[in-house]
Amino acid sequence: MLEKITSNFQSPKDNFFGRLLLRMMNFGHRSISRLATSQLPKDADFKEIIDIGCGGGWTISRLLKTWSGARVHGLDVSEAAVEKSREYNAEAIADGRCKVELGSVAKMPYETDFFDAATAVETAYFWDPIDDALKEVYRCLKPGGWFVIALEAGTKGQARFWSRHVEGMHPYDADYLKEHLLAAGFSSVNVERRLVYACIVARK
Ligand SMILES: C[S@@+](CC[C@H](N)C(=O)[O-])C[C@H]1O[C@@H](n2cnc3c(N)ncnc32)[C@H](O)[C@@H]1O
C-alpha cells in the first residue's frame, strides 16, 4: 500500500493512488511550502513567478495570494498533477493570473530572463541530471531573480534514507544542491534549516 503511494512521488500517475497522493500533498506539504514562500520578499513587485514540480497546486495558490500583482505559472511532468493544479487554481486561471503547463524542468517552455522568482518544493530530488535542470532554471530567471528549493529531507541522513524507499529519488541534500547551484552560475546561495527541513535560497 505504502509503495503504491511512494511510487507516485516522482511523477503522480493518472490513477487512484496518483490522484490520492496529489490531494495528500496539497495538505501535507503546507508547512514546507510556507517555509519556501516565506524566503521571498513579501513586498517585492514580482510580475512572473513559477512553481516548478507544482504537484496538486497548493504552492501556486499561496504564491497567487501573497503576490497579488503577479502572474503565477506552474510546471510539472505529470499530466495528473497538471490537471489537479489547474482544477485547484481554476479561478485564477479564468482571471488570466495563472497558467499551468505540462513539461520538465530539463527543458522549460519559457523565454530566457522571464521570471522574477521560482520555487521548487519537494521536487528537486527527482531532477536528473541535476546540473542541466539548475542551468535551465537559471536561464529562465531574470538577472537578480530568486530561486528557492525546499526539501523535507534536507539533511544528508534523511535524503539517503528516503532515496532508498522512493522510486526515482536522488539523495540530494542542501549542501550538495548549494554546490551545484553555484556551479550553475547562481550567486549568494544560502541554506536555511528548520529541524530536518531545508530551504536553499539562490539569486541569479
Ligand atoms: C513529491 S511531488 C511534490 C509536489 C508539490 N511541489 C508539493 O510540494 O506538493 C514532486 C513533483 O515534482 C514533479 N516532477 C518530478 N520531476 C520533474 C521534472 N523533471 N520537471 C518538472 N516536474 C517534475 C512530479 O511530477 C511531482 O508532481
Side-chain angles (χ1 to χ4, degrees):
M1 171 77 170
L2 185 63
E3 203 190 306
K4 284 209 161 101
I5 296 184
T6 57
S7 67
N8 277 281
F9 277 118
Q10 182 180 16
S11 176
K13 298 172 187 68
D14 193 13
N15 61 24
F16 174 78
F17 288 101
R19 287 191 292 272
L20 175 67
L21 178 69
L22 287 163
R23 291 171 79 95
M24 285 166 57
M25 291 192 297
N26 268 358
F27 287 97
H29 287 173
R30 286 187 187 187
S31 308
I32 185 90
S33 175
R34 283 196 186 96
L35 185 62
T37 53
S38 72
Q39 307 300 318
L40 297 169
K42 258 206 170 107
D43 52 356
D45 184 23
F46 290 154
K47 298 285 183 236
E48 307 284 349
I49 310 176
I50 184 165
D51 184 43
I52 307 167
C54 56
W58 195 80
T59 303
I60 293 176
S61 71
R62 185 161 174 85
L63 293 167
L64 283 161
K65 261 187 218 133
T66 312
W67 288 276
S68 55
R71 198 149 51 135
V72 178
H73 302 251
L75 181 72
D76 204 291
V77 280
S78 149
E79 282 186 24
V82 169
E83 193 184 311
K84 180 71 186 164
S85 280
R86 285 183 178 153
E87 179 196 309
Y88 199 81
N89 295 286
E91 213 175 297
I93 290 173
D95 292 345
R97 284 201 55 220
C98 177
K99 213 168 172 198
V100 183
E101 311 252 26
L102 181 67
S104 172
V105 66
K107 196 170 189 299
M108 290 172 63
Y110 309 101
E111 287 167 29
T112 297
D113 297 345
F114 186 67
F115 293 106
D116 299 283
T119 53
V121 179
E122 282 293 272
T123 177
Y125 319 102
F126 302 107
W127 298 355
D128 186 19
I130 187 69
D131 293 319
D132 291 355
L134 298 179
K135 278 185 202 144
E136 186 60 353
V137 178
Y138 183 88
R139 179 188 70 77
C140 293
L141 283 170
K142 290 177 185 167
W146 298 73
F147 182 31
V148 181
I149 297 179
L151 309 168
E152 264 185 343
T155 65
K156 269 193 181 60
Q158 286 277 327
R160 278 198 194 130
F161 174 82
W162 282 108
S163 65
R164 285 199 291 269
H165 298 280
V166 176
E167 206 175 289
M169 180 173 169
H170 297 276
Y172 305 148
D173 62 85
D175 294 330
Y176 176 92
L177 288 170
K178 177 176 177 173
E179 206 178 290
H180 287 255
L181 283 159
L182 288 167
F186 285 92
S187 58
S188 67
V189 182
N190 292 309
V191 178
E192 294 289 324
R193 293 185 190 276
R194 303 271 158 84
L195 304 170
V196 293
Y197 290 178
C199 274
I200 306 133
V201 186
R203 304 287 300 273
K204 176 171 173 179

